Amino acid sequence: MNKAVIGLQWGDEGKGKIVDFLSEDFDLVVRYQGGNNAGHTVIVDNNTYKLNLIPSGVIRGKDCYLGQGVVLDLEHFSKEFNQIRKKVLNPKVFLSSNISLILDYHKQLDKINESILNNNKKIGTTSKGIGPAYQDKVGRKSIKLYDLKSKNIIEEKIYAIKRFYDPILKKFNESEINVEQTTEDLISFYDLVKDLIVDNSFVKKVYRNKKILFEGAQGALLDLDHGSYPFVTSSNTVSSNIIIGSALQVDYQTIGIFKAYATRVGNGPFPSELFDDIGDYIAEKGVEFGTVTKRKRRCGWLDLVSLKYSCEINRVTELCMTKADVLNNLSEVKICKSYNSKKYEDINFSESEILDSLSLENSDFEVFSSWGNITKLSKFENLPDNLKKFTSYIENYLNIPIKIISLGPERNQTIIR
Ligand code: GDP
Ligand code: IMO
Ligand code: MG
């Protein structure tokens, strides 16, 4: 059966690690949305791999594919591909010809968009031009990978883009679009990647009857439609976008992945956020610093109310929990089970008035005793009783089994049930 690994929180749940772990049993690993706003860290035998665009299956030498739903910064991709070539023999990565590109002006617009908002309204984006690139895709202005075959088409498209955006760039003292330079750059990047570009129909044909693993980026609560709008990313991160973003009409099962606590980078509601020493302790011990922007991630207790919502919108059938090892020395570990004594089972994360009123003080918690060192365990049966109580509580609340537990960053610190 094909599978998808989808983040259930605000990203950084450990998707990269688990995709690397699972990919052994798959033929193709696919990204279907997002861009180099993603930062997926995988550690194998003390070697650290940091991937932003290339699916984590590349480390095991699996075939990898970036589907049409991804937005692609060619400069970044070329660097990342070169890096991975130094570590992996002949990595096989395909790019859908229908991918929309991120250009420099998207990054400038990302910066402008943030600059016009008041401090508490800033999204806190990764500044990679993601929002503006998707805006152009929806606005039918994108330069697609398939356009790069023709200098005339590139020039014609960039010229129209220039007429549209130059007035804004000028107004905010940003450099205007240079048609010649942009065309030249795109042509030289095209030379570097043209052998990797394939039509959607190619992947469909070659991988028919093969096993496919889909690697989500970001998390369900950052989904453009289902997340805490406007504090979201600009793509649909949920599993139902897989078919659109990959153009592969296949069935798949969704593994929902979450940390034993919660983190968020950037602004937006976070009901179980900790502002005390425990939050700082978790950030330090869990190394909660963004891979992409190096920002410190906000930390809080696991929030089952939002997790239940994420499981529903992703049709999650099995769960993977990561980073319980980070909490092992705390005197007590908490789980948020309701807001204002009420289970918001159908919480609408777009209702920011409700969410703004939520905080640690008016959330309700279940309290657990911690479990000591677990990083060397290799069997589910051997987990300490206190951790079993914690996982059973989560499973009962969500009514979904936890099938994978990650107990450390290394590939082999993973238990399957
Ligand atoms: P992703 O964006 O979902 O792929 O997650 P990131 O890679 O951005 O962040 C997860 C971080 O936690 C990475 O640095 C991983 O190496 C690390 N990690 C993953 N699983 C575990 C775990 O079970 N325990 C610990 N301590 N670290 C983990
Ligand atoms: P991975 O795949 C965590 C957040 C940003 C910001 C919001 C919008 O590593 O889990 P954007 O640049 O996408 O327009 O920023 O989304 N964000 C992430 N947070 N992990 C990610 O990816 C993220 N990608 C975007 O911090 O709040
Ligand atoms: Mg990440």
Side-chain angles (χ1 to χ4, degrees):
M1 185 63 169
N2 303 313
K3 294 212 168 169
V5 175
I6 305 284
L8 298 180
Q9 294 162 312
W10 287 282
D12 305 323
E13 297 88 351
K15 298 175 290 294
K17 173 190 159 157
I18 295 303
V19 167
D20 163 69
F21 176 80
L22 294 174
S23 63
E24 189 174 16
D25 295 333
F26 291 83
D27 302 301
L28 180 71
V29 186
V30 178
R31 276 278 304 270
Y32 62 94
Q33 47 74 227
N36 56 317
N37 49 347
H40 298 176
T41 301
V42 181
I43 305 179
V44 186
D45 299 333
N46 282 321
N47 290 314
T48 300
Y49 301 81
K50 288 189 183 290
L51 298 161
N52 304 115
L53 283 164
I54 301 175
S56 306
V58 76
I59 299 163
R60 289 188 189 266
K62 297 291 170 173
D63 296 0
C64 291
Y65 180 53
L66 301 192
Q68 61 180 2
V70 167
V71 281
L72 186 67
D73 182 327
L74 273 178
E75 185 175 359
H76 186 96
F77 175 80
S78 304
K79 279 190 196 143
E80 192 175 318
F81 193 53
N82 275 338
Q83 286 295 326
I84 208 74
R85 270 203 286 215
K86 288 181 195 152
K87 297 185 171 176
V88 175
L89 193 67
N90 293 327
K92 205 160 160 200
V93 181
F94 298 117
L95 306 171
S96 162
S97 60
N98 204 23
I99 279 181
S100 297
L101 298 180
I102 302 183
L103 303 189
D104 283 345
Y105 73 89
H106 291 123
K107 292 172 231 173
Q108 293 170 288
L109 292 170
D110 201 345
K111 192 164 119 192
I112 295 171
N113 278 335
E114 288 283 80
S115 74
I116 57 177
L117 298 168
N118 289 335
N119 264 343
N120 62 341
K121 299 282 180 210
K122 289 189 199 301
I123 313 297
T125 72
T126 58
S127 316
K128 303 295 179 191
I130 305 294
Y134 277 115
Q135 232 168 295
D136 274 1
K137 177 178 174 178
V138 175
R140 293 165 293 191
K141 289 186 195 57
S142 285
I143 301 199
K144 300 271 192 172
L145 266 183
Y146 61 64
D147 289 325
L148 302 188
K149 279 183 274 190
S150 156
K151 187 175 182 206
N152 286 348
I153 291 178
I154 304 176
E155 271 174 350
E156 193 185 353
K157 280 200 160 184
I158 302 206
Y159 193 63
I161 288 168
K162 178 178 173 63
R163 276 188 286 182
F164 191 78
Y165 285 119
D166 264 0
I168 302 178
L169 294 169
K170 226 189 281 182
K171 186 167 160 42
F172 287 93
N173 298 319
E174 287 287 329
S175 54
E176 294 169 35
I177 294 170
N178 181 330
V179 178
E180 269 174 25
Q181 186 65 54
T182 312
T183 308
E184 221 175 89
D185 290 349
L186 284 176
I187 288 172
S188 39
F189 285 129
Y190 179 62
D191 261 356
L192 295 175
V193 301
K194 62 174 187 276
D195 295 341
L196 314 182
I197 302 174
V198 293
D199 289 338
N200 289 345
S201 57
F202 168 88
V203 179
K204 224 176 276 181
K205 248 183 263 155
V206 172
Y207 294 94
R208 181 170 294 144
N209 303 324
K210 300 272 188 192
K211 283 183 80 183
I212 304 175
L213 179 61
F214 295 96
E215 175 169 346
Q218 292 82 53
L221 303 175
L222 288 171
D223 181 278
L224 177 61
D225 289 285
H226 299 281
S228 49
Y229 191 91
F231 301 102
V232 292
T233 190
S234 295
S235 66
N236 288 112
T237 60
V238 291
S239 61
S240 44
N241 189 27
I242 284 176
I243 297 198
I244 295 174
S246 68
L248 293 164
Q249 281 75 21
V250 295
D251 292 326
Y252 52 86
Q253 260 178 358
T254 303
I255 303 172
I257 178 166
F258 65 98
K259 286 193 249 217
Y261 50 94
T263 63
R264 180 165 200 167
V265 213
N267 286 332
F270 184 176
S272 62
E273 182 167 10
L274 288 160
F275 295 95
D276 58 6
D277 293 352
I278 300 178
D280 290 341
Y281 170 86
I282 293 175
E284 287 298 322
K285 179 130 193 262
V287 201
E288 296 298 353
F289 297 88
T291 323
V292 177
T293 58
K294 316 283 180 253
R295 286 176 290 177
K296 179 167 181 269
R297 297 172 183 153
R298 299 155 66 192
C299 293
W301 297 120
L302 180 64
D303 174 0
L304 283 186
V305 186
S306 64
L307 210 63
K308 190 169 176 72
Y309 169 80
S310 293
C311 288
E312 280 166 8
I313 59 176
N314 283 295
R315 292 182 298 162
V316 168
T317 52
E318 52 189 80
L319 293 163
C320 166
M321 184 174 83
T322 61
K323 302 190 95 161
D325 55 300
V326 173
L327 308 179
N328 69 345
N329 279 334
L330 291 173
S331 52
E332 51 182 32
V333 177
K334 296 185 184 177
I335 292 183
C336 171
K337 56 182 177 180
S338 62
Y339 307 148
N340 295 326
S341 307
K342 187 168 176 277
K343 273 193 189 178
Y344 283 95
E345 295 213 334
D346 282 316
I347 190 158
N348 179 354
F349 268 84
S350 305
E351 288 175 27
S352 55
E353 315 87 71
I354 301 179
L355 286 159
D356 283 346
S357 71
L358 294 174
S359 63
L360 215 52
E361 295 84 67
N362 43 27
S363 302
D364 310 299
F365 292 92
E366 192 74 16
V367 183
F368 298 83
S369 304
S370 194
W371 33 80
N373 196 346
I374 50 175
T375 51
K376 294 202 167 57
L377 297 178
S378 57
K379 285 208 176 79
F380 201 89
E381 302 81 72
N382 298 342
L383 293 181
D385 283 348
N386 284 345
L387 182 54
K388 282 191 186 150
K389 280 184 197 150
F390 186 80
T391 53
S392 299
Y393 185 84
I394 297 167
E395 289 178 319
N396 289 335
Y397 189 105
L398 302 173
N399 203 18
I400 304 173
I402 298 177
K403 294 279 195 175
I404 306 171
I405 297 197
S406 167
L407 303 169
E410 274 278 352
R411 180 192 276 166
N412 62 9
Q413 290 176 303
T414 315
I415 300 181
I416 292 207
R417 205 175 183 184

